[in-house]
Amino acid sequence: MPAPIPRQRAIPAAEGGQAHAAPPHDTTAPAPAPTANNKSNTNTNRSDNRSTGSSGNGHSNGSGLSLLVIEDDPAGSLSVPELLDSAGKPIRIRTARNLTEAERLLTDDVHCILLDLALPAPGAAEADDDELVALKHVLRLAPRHAVLALTANDDSERGAEAVRVGAQDYLFREELDGRLLSRAIRYAVERKRADAAQRQLTESRLRAQENARLERGLLPTPLLDGSPLRFAARYRPGRSRALLGGDFYDTVRTPDGSVHVMIGDVCGHGPDEAALGVELRIAWRALTFAGLCGDELLSTLQKVLEHERADDEIFATLCTVDIAPDGRRAGLCLAGHPAPLIAREGRLAELLPYEDGGPALGLLPRARWPRRQVELGGAWSLMLYTDGLIEGRIGEGNQRLGQDGMVEMVRRQIAAGLRGDELLEAAVNEVRDLNGGDLTDDVAVLLLDRSPGAR
């Protein structure tokens, strides 16, 4: 069924930069049947209308503002004067006699809607219950457009209620003039933009706060009650604005007095890798409390990884250390992970033996991970880290810090008297400075200290 052509009554249109009054049309007359010529013209006009807009986001692209007037005035008493925007360009005006016409004319290039609150509501029953049902319909129809409500001079309460419902402002019908309406349109458009920007900012902040609470809750809480060992850790994800990356670590003390520490790295830096790292950490903690260690524990973790990873190419490196209750000996397992660094009293810091390590988890289906016994001594500091700490660049070239460079750096910092949290903070900051800025990879580093005479 052909759509009726909306009537234009005493309202200048400013298309192509020229204001002119459109001739009145009979809204009940059917539209002419499309021919090859007028179909082409129709498509061209529709294209022109949409090209002046901005995909419905209410932002002008420099071609001036457009106003859609929605009112039903058989007497033709409403007269909208010629309007100019802040740049002196005519404001384009369209009119619709009902909400059906308005929906058809509400194209991307419309910036503001002027709605007569006296417009009959879509349903009589609704009109009896709610005088602003037409306004609410328009707000649902055009949630990203600025809306001005038009009301009678003696009905300011209704206009104020319209603003509370969602309109940007209200105007009195009898006081309508070009200067007032032009200013109101500009104000309404800018206020709508500001409201949208504020809403997006608020939503972004809420999402960031929720993500931060979630990720903070997923970070481990060391369980070392009753142990003389001191614990410190630093964690910096490579993802921008993230709190959690693919690196993971944990430390627990089992009922027999042994202290177990672990650090790992899932390949990749996205949220999926971070989630997998959390799963592996929680699985490690549960298996450790269940009494597993060494090859048995790592074999079970590999099964967890194989079932939980999104891709068969995903793997994870891991280092586990179980420290005897007397604190003088430890068992070490390496699964494709760099060896820990130990600083013993009276000796230079050095790497623990890294021979006899096994492959990363997820690479070989029937791999084995031998557990190596190491002597720690009476007083020591044991530092576990991920490769983000050693793969940062040195200067502007392609040279990396590497494990040897890290050992020299830590030796120098220990000689300067740094211990615990201060040592880790200094190490991470110096690696970042050597890299010339933020590291692209996740960095996790933790430190366990045993003081002289600790029992």
Side-chain angles (χ1 to χ4, degrees):
M1 177 179 178
I5 300 175
R7 181 180 57 174
Q8 305 281 340
R9 298 187 309 283
I11 299 177
E15 298 292 339
Q18 298 295 327
H20 62 279
H25 294 280
D26 181 1
T27 59
T28 62
T35 64
N37 290 335
N38 62 33
K39 182 184 294 185
S40 173
N41 293 337
T42 301
N43 291 338
T44 302
N45 293 337
R46 183 179 295 114
S47 174
D48 292 342
N49 286 339
R50 292 187 180 274
S51 66
T52 60
S54 55
S55 301
N57 58 10
H59 289 268
S60 172
N61 64 355
S63 59
L65 298 175
S66 296
L67 174 70
L68 174 60
V69 180
I70 309 175
E71 57 87 24
D72 183 21
D73 183 18
S77 60
L78 177 62
S79 178
V80 179
E82 182 175 347
L83 307 175
L84 300 177
D85 63 15
S86 58
K89 296 180 180 180
I91 297 177
R92 299 184 298 277
I93 301 174
R94 300 176 185 175
T95 57
R97 294 187 59 180
N98 52 55
L99 296 178
T100 302
E101 287 185 10
E103 186 171 359
R104 183 166 58 84
L105 294 176
L106 192 61
T107 52
D108 292 345
D109 59 333
V110 173
H111 300 85
C112 185
I113 299 171
L114 178 63
L115 173 67
D116 187 357
L117 294 182
L119 187 75
E126 286 184 295
D128 293 338
D129 296 336
D130 190 350
E131 294 181 342
L132 298 178
V133 65
L135 172 62
K136 293 177 181 179
H137 182 87
V138 169
L139 293 175
R140 290 192 299 268
L141 184 66
R144 294 176 294 177
H145 291 72
V147 177
L148 290 170
L150 189 64
T151 187
N153 278 23
D154 58 353
D155 204 1
S156 58
E157 184 175 344
R158 191 179 184 187
E161 181 64 22
V163 174
R164 284 192 291 270
V165 168
Q168 272 60 59
D169 203 351
Y170 70 93
L171 302 171
F172 294 126
R173 173 189 290 268
E174 289 78 4
E175 297 179 0
L176 204 61
D177 62 56
R179 183 177 180 182
L180 174 64
L181 183 54
S182 297
R183 184 169 65 248
I185 293 171
R186 295 196 300 269
Y187 167 78
V189 171
E190 292 304 323
R191 181 176 177 181
K192 187 66 176 180
R193 292 174 182 172
D195 290 345
Q198 182 62 41
R199 183 171 61 254
Q200 292 174 356
L201 178 60
T202 301
E203 291 174 354
S204 297
R205 286 176 176 172
L206 289 175
R207 283 195 299 269
Q209 291 171 1
E210 291 174 356
N211 291 339
R213 285 195 295 269
L214 175 62
E215 293 186 355
R216 193 175 295 114
L218 294 175
L219 290 173
T221 300
L223 300 179
L224 291 174
D225 291 344
S227 172
L229 302 182
R230 293 177 299 176
F231 174 84
R234 286 293 181 275
Y235 194 100
R236 290 190 183 180
R239 290 186 296 137
S240 175
R241 300 179 182 178
L243 294 177
L244 200 64
D247 292 1
F248 54 99
Y249 65 88
D250 205 351
T251 305
V252 298
R253 182 174 184 264
T254 50
D256 64 353
S258 300
V259 172
H260 303 258
V261 57
M262 170 271 292
I263 194 166
D265 181 5
V266 177
C267 65
H269 314 290
D272 291 338
E273 288 76 11
L276 182 56
V278 171
E279 292 180 82
L280 292 174
R281 178 185 69 78
I282 295 174
W284 175 87
R285 176 175 284 201
L287 294 170
T288 299
F289 279 126
L292 276 66
C293 68
D295 180 75
E296 187 179 12
L297 186 149
L298 292 177
S299 297
T300 307
L301 282 180
Q302 173 156 283
K303 293 179 182 178
V304 174
L305 171 67
E306 291 170 347
H307 284 90
E308 297 296 331
R309 62 186 175 184
D311 191 300
D312 289 343
E313 296 182 356
I314 297 294
F315 63 90
T317 66
L318 196 70
C319 168
T320 68
V321 179
D322 54 281
I323 303 169
D326 63 4
R328 303 185 67 88
R329 299 176 306 280
L332 171 66
C333 286
L334 296 175
H337 201 87
L341 178 146
I342 187 168
R344 301 180 178 91
E345 188 177 21
R347 297 170 59 179
L348 292 176
E350 60 182 351
L351 298 175
L352 287 178
Y354 48 85
E355 301 86 0
D356 302 327
L361 302 181
L363 292 183
L364 300 177
R366 289 178 293 276
R368 288 292 177 263
W369 295 272
R371 177 178 176 271
R372 179 165 187 158
Q373 190 78 14
V374 295
E375 294 294 327
L376 302 178
W380 45 263
S381 294
L382 184 66
M383 190 174 83
L384 285 73
Y385 52 92
T386 57
D387 57 7
L389 188 70
I390 60 177
E391 290 188 349
R393 299 180 185 276
I394 300 178
E396 298 180 356
N398 294 324
Q399 186 178 356
R400 307 283 181 170
L401 176 64
Q403 286 181 288
D404 292 339
M406 180 201 66
V407 172
E408 292 298 325
M409 177 187 69
V410 173
R411 286 176 177 175
R412 175 168 32 83
Q413 292 168 344
I414 291 177
L418 298 180
R419 298 291 186 275
D421 287 301
E422 292 181 350
L423 175 62
L424 296 188
E425 189 69 20
V428 173
N429 288 339
E430 183 168 339
V431 169
R432 178 186 179 278
D433 293 340
L434 290 172
N435 189 64
D438 291 334
L439 300 166
T440 57
D441 198 3
D442 304 327
V443 176
V445 54
L446 58 88
L447 191 69
L448 283 174
D449 288 314
R450 187 174 191 269
S451 303
R455 299 179 59 183

